[in-house]
Amino acid sequence: DWRGAYARVVQPLAHDTWYVDALALDAFRERGAQVGVTHRHDWTGRVFHMLGVNVGSGAPIMPRARVDGALGLRLGSARAVQVTGGLSYVKSVTELSDVAGIASIAWYAPRAVMIEIGGRYNVSRPGDITSHRLSSTVVWTPSPRRSFSVRAIGGSEGWQIVRTGTTLTRFHSNDFSLSWREKVTTSLALTAQGDWYRNPYYTRSGVTLGVARYW
């Protein structure tokens, strides 16, 4: 069984948004924690960038360090299409590491629907193991108080450390999630998400519950 807790603080400003995240996790009979900071800057109404850094506590189930960067561009007269591309680096607590290119295109469609398709091409070292993953996301926001999203991911993985001395390599996996957010007052919201993940070695399913406070 997996257990964990997370916290996120978001500070939006005129052209900058800061995200601070913390996660504690108990999985595969290992315990770990990580913290991260992400910065988003809107250069214009059409161009923005994001840069994030995460650091782990040293547990094998989490990366020792991770850096993600992306540049985004909004297209069209209504800026309803958003194209994003970037790079990612992940370092494990062992000699394993990943370098990846990421890309996505999102359409903010009528009737408060957002549709996004993305991909990730990954090179794992040592061994120069290549892998790729494709994702699709649909978000529906029928009112300012409520939103629903569904996300599907599939493809291959170069490696995954599940506990000290046990590493899975070169396998395919699928991931599916459903989430719901409901604003119960002007300053409080409830969130719920269901997840399902499967690879040749194990299947994981679970629920994540959260409370958000707005200022």
Side-chain angles (χ1 to χ4, degrees), residues 50-120:
M50 295 188 71
L51 181 63
V53 177
N54 284 269
V55 178
S57 62
I61 56 174
M62 291 179 168
R64 169 75 72 181
R66 176 171 183 155
V67 180
D68 298 275
L71 181 68
L73 178 64
R74 302 181 185 94
L75 305 174
S77 58
R79 305 173 189 174
V81 176
Q82 179 175 293
V83 179
T84 306
L87 297 172
S88 176
Y89 173 76
V90 181
K91 180 66 177 73
S92 77
V93 296
T94 69
E95 74 281 4
L96 294 168
S97 65
D98 284 338
V99 176
I102 55 177
S104 67
I105 182 169
W107 176 38
Y108 291 84
R111 301 183 183 275
V113 175
M114 191 280 289
I115 302 172
E116 182 180 42
I117 298 175
R120 178 185 180 96

Side-chain angles (χ1 to χ4, degrees), residues 129-157:
I129 302 171
T130 60
S131 57
H132 65 275
R133 296 184 75 72
L134 298 176
S135 65
S136 60
T137 305
V138 177
V139 180
W140 178 42
T141 309
S143 78
R145 301 177 62 90
R146 184 177 301 116
S147 67
F148 304 93
S149 68
V150 56
R151 182 176 176 86
I153 306 173
S156 54
E157 297 185 50

